[in-house]
Amino acid sequence: MILYSTNNKDLRVPFKEGVFNSLPADKGLYMPVSIPVLDPEFIADLHKYSLPEIAFRVSKAILNNAIPESDLKAIIDEAINFEAPVIEISKGINVLELFHGPSLAFKDFGARFMSRVMSYFLKEGEKQLDVLVATSGDTGGAVALGFLGVPNVRVTILFPKGKVSPIQELQLTTNGQNIRAIEIDGTFDDCQALVKQAFNDPELKEKFRLTSANSINISRLIPQTFYYFNAYAQIQRMGYKEVVFSVPSGNFGNIGAGLLAWKMGLPVKQFLAATNSNDTVPEFLQTGVYKAKPSVQTWSNAMDVGDPSNWVRIMDMFGGDRDLLKKVITAYSYSDGETLEAIKQVHAENGYIMCPHTAIAWLALKGWMTEHPSDDVAGVFLSTAHPCKFPDIFPAEIAAEIDIPVQVKELEGKERISSSLGNDFEGFKAFLLG
Ligand SMILES: *Cc1c(COP(=O)(O)O)cnc(C)c1O
């Protein structure tokens, strides 16, 4: 598998280099030179396959021998070892639950696959790999748990102080071993900027073998295509042929993976990009002007992104053509008030409890289905996290009904360890060198 930079199609590197460098030197993002289209027969027969079987077929096609078959199969079987069920909650409206992994968020797919791919490529005796991650909450937990105990790798997680939920904070700060957490006095965008700056700092690059585990890493994007194919397999079993996916979006990695699956031949009628009031993309689709904004804090904090880092990948897939893009993606933006009303409504009418990110995807799907009523289309909204990660959002009577999964119970007695830093680069650099 060969990758190019979105800033320069002639800058080409093998998959392994893209995995370890995350970002090309010209600050573009890596994209595959060729996106294979899967055999239509395989797509028509998806319902016959399990999630790990689908994951193997899809990754084999896109990785194109970058990892030998038997090793790839072992990576998949270890990384993709939990379910991603599609459940009907009302007529035509289905939820794709992506929160059954160890950190209770969809980011487990990307993080678990990436950590195993990195450890596969990391030959014995090579310099220690330093993974730097900025997180608005969920990435850090998934990456920490994905890399915990992996030899020859150290993980440093930056999270915005006071802006992650108590369970998220536990997931970030109770690991020990090869994982360290830093709380930054600032926003998620500050954390992301610090990580980006570290990658461009000559002294740090010389001293450490730095890599990123954010959604910009190509090895996180690939495994996220698996559950789109697997969701399609499930809607086939339910008797549908057409699907609309509604994706709660922040950095646009999740929906980017969906679009990659679509490019690989998955028949998707429409993608809905559902955002909170951080509406840079909905505004761009409407006006044609992409204006990065400072992020604003909302209840769906994993989507508080004012300048989505994966957006250039999506533009790249459409050759920069906004009109083409608008045929495939419809964007919606919702306030915290609307999010809470959606949570209450679905709880009351369907007995289902959604996390705030998931609720925004539900709202977008409802919006689209109302405008395009049809019995033949399966509406699927992606549930990106378990509701127990955001306990403060829910009215007490709903919160009381949320079951606490075993993954959380195990964290509660553990000691928390983290460092505190400001949002200036010099302090962060001194910490890394220190
Ligand atoms: C990360 C995250 C998102 C946003 O996903 P992107 O790939 O950044 O668009 C949505 N919901 C939850 C719960 C998340 O953790």
Side-chain angles (χ1 to χ4, degrees), residues 398-419:
I398 298 182
E401 283 179 34
I402 300 174
D403 59 295
I404 303 297
V406 53
Q407 290 97 316
V408 173
K409 291 186 183 134
E410 285 166 357
L411 293 178
E412 275 160 2
K414 288 194 179 169
E415 188 193 356
R416 293 184 212 186
I417 304 166
S418 64
S419 308

Side-chain angles (χ1 to χ4, degrees), residues 1 34 59-67:
M1 181 190 203
S34 70
S59 55
K60 185 173 143 215
I62 190 153
L63 292 182
N64 188 19
N65 298 324
I67 299 175

Side-chain angles (χ1 to χ4, degrees), residues 104-107 135-139 168 188 215 220-221 224 227 247-257 274 300-305 308-310 355-358 382-386 389-390:
L104 306 172
F106 81 102
K107 292 189 171 76
T135 184
S136 54
D138 280 339
T139 301
Q168 289 174 329
F188 167 67
S215 51
R220 272 188 52 178
L221 206 65
Q224 294 185 57
Y227 50 73
V247 188
S249 297
N251 264 318
F252 282 70
N254 197 357
I255 197 168
S300 44
N301 70 343
M303 289 154 50
D304 293 351
V305 183
S309 54
N310 273 290
C355 94
H357 312 78
T358 306
L382 277 59
S383 177
T384 44
H386 192 286
K389 296 185 91 173
F390 312 94

Side-chain angles (χ1 to χ4, degrees), residues 114 116 119 197 250 379:
M114 174 185 61
R116 279 149 187 89
S119 125
Q197 212 172 334

